[in-house]
């Protein structure tokens, strides 16, 4: 599946939530997330613009493989994701096949979903990391849909960024400590 998204930094969260609710979006998640990134000791995933991420989301764990394809205007990646109810066992499987824990981090996430049609939906994720102002991710099935909702929320595409989470943290002077 293709992931198409942008981030908007330095937002007024309350104002945006009001707009989302007015548009018909529904709150679908709020909670703390523990996130771990894995790679081979030779960093071959990173060198190929790929990541393997394991994170908690409520009582479940999500295992996600991403391959970044483009960062021109919007971030586009191939994404494969599955859910499990056993974070620790999933981590053990990952480590048993030779991947090493590269980075651990935590964040608070608040998620909203706007179902436009049976096939089209758009996700809005408010992420708060320690020491960083809350930012918004907008993810949809097309660039046009992302752009439409960036505008409906009162922004334009020049207000967006395709930075990854690590780059956002570094922008605000925070460092993710690498474990190997």
């Amino acid at each position: 599946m293709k992931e198409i998204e942008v981030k908007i930094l330095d937002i007024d969260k309350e104002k945006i939530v009001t707009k989302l609710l007015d548009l018909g979006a529904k709150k679908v998640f709020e909670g703390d997330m523990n996130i771990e990134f894995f790679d081979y000791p030779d960093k071959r995933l990173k060198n190929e613009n790929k990541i393997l991420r394991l994170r908690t989301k409520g009582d479940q764990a999500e295992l996600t493989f991403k391959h970044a394809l483009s960062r021109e205007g919007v971030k586009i990646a191939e994404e494969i994701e599955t859910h499990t109810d056993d974070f620790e066992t999933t981590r053990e499987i990952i480590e048993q096949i030779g991947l090493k824990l590269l980075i651990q981090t935590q964040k608070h996430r608040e998620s909203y979903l706007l179902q436009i049609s049976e096939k089209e939906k758009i996700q809005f994720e408010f992420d708060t990391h320690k020491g960083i102002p809350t930012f918004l991710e907008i993810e949809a099935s097309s660039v046009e849909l992302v752009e439409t909702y960036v505008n409906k929320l009162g922004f334009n595409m020049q207000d967006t960024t395709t930075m990854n989470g690590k780059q956002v943290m570094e922008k605000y002077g925070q460092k993710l400590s690498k474990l190997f």
Side-chain angles (χ1 to χ4, degrees):
M1 176 179 129
K2 283 230 187 335
E3 173 190 64
I4 301 168
E5 73 176 25
V6 296
K7 290 178 176 63
I8 303 174
L9 308 179
D10 300 314
I11 59 161
D12 180 339
K13 179 184 164 199
E14 306 313 317
K15 184 177 173 183
I16 295 171
V17 167
T18 299
K19 287 182 181 183
L20 289 174
L21 295 174
D22 288 346
L23 289 167
K26 306 285 185 224
K27 186 176 185 179
V28 293
F29 175 76
E30 183 173 3
D32 293 329
M33 300 175 80
N34 297 305
I35 305 127
E36 298 182 349
F37 293 90
F38 296 85
D39 203 342
Y40 292 99
D42 64 5
K43 309 259 175 55
R44 75 181 83 152
L45 294 178
K46 180 181 183 230
N47 294 335
E48 296 174 1
N49 293 317
K50 298 175 181 176
I51 64 163
L52 184 68
R53 176 186 70 208
L54 177 63
R55 68 184 180 189
T56 59
K57 187 172 182 182
D59 294 335
Q60 289 201 323
E62 293 178 341
L63 180 63
T64 306
F65 176 79
K66 291 186 185 188
H67 181 195
L69 302 175
S70 173
R71 289 190 182 278
E72 299 296 319
V74 297
K75 184 175 95 175
I76 300 174
E78 285 293 336
E79 181 179 73
I80 304 167
E81 187 169 87
T82 191
H83 298 98
T84 175
D85 60 0
D86 193 334
F87 184 89
E88 298 300 325
T89 300
T90 304
R91 180 196 294 130
E92 187 176 338
I93 291 168
I94 292 167
E95 291 173 341
Q96 288 295 317
I97 61 173
L99 289 121
K100 303 289 182 200
L101 180 59
L102 178 62
I103 296 170
Q104 284 180 309
T105 188
Q106 295 180 323
K107 68 181 172 186
H108 185 81
R109 172 168 276 185
E110 192 171 321
S111 302
Y112 291 81
L113 179 67
L114 180 59
Q115 193 75 40
I116 297 166
S117 68
E118 266 187 50
K119 291 186 175 188
E120 287 190 317
K121 65 182 180 183
I122 187 160
Q123 294 174 256
F124 304 90
E125 315 279 10
F126 294 94
D127 286 342
T128 306
H129 294 262
K130 184 178 178 183
I132 295 175
T134 298
F135 60 89
L136 173 65
E137 284 185 359
I138 301 173
E139 180 181 339
S141 57
S142 71
V143 173
E144 296 78 20
L145 201 51
V146 167
E147 289 177 357
T148 296
Y149 280 88
V150 164
N151 293 328
K152 284 187 178 201
L153 293 176
F155 299 98
N156 60 55
M157 290 304 288
Q158 290 73 32
D159 297 320
T160 70
T161 183
T162 59
M163 284 191 260
N164 63 31
K166 179 178 180 255
Q167 292 167 324
V168 171
M169 293 182 82
E170 288 171 350
K171 173 182 171 53
Y172 291 102
Q174 301 294 318
K175 291 260 183 194
L176 284 175
S177 54
K178 294 186 177 176
L179 301 173
F180 79 91

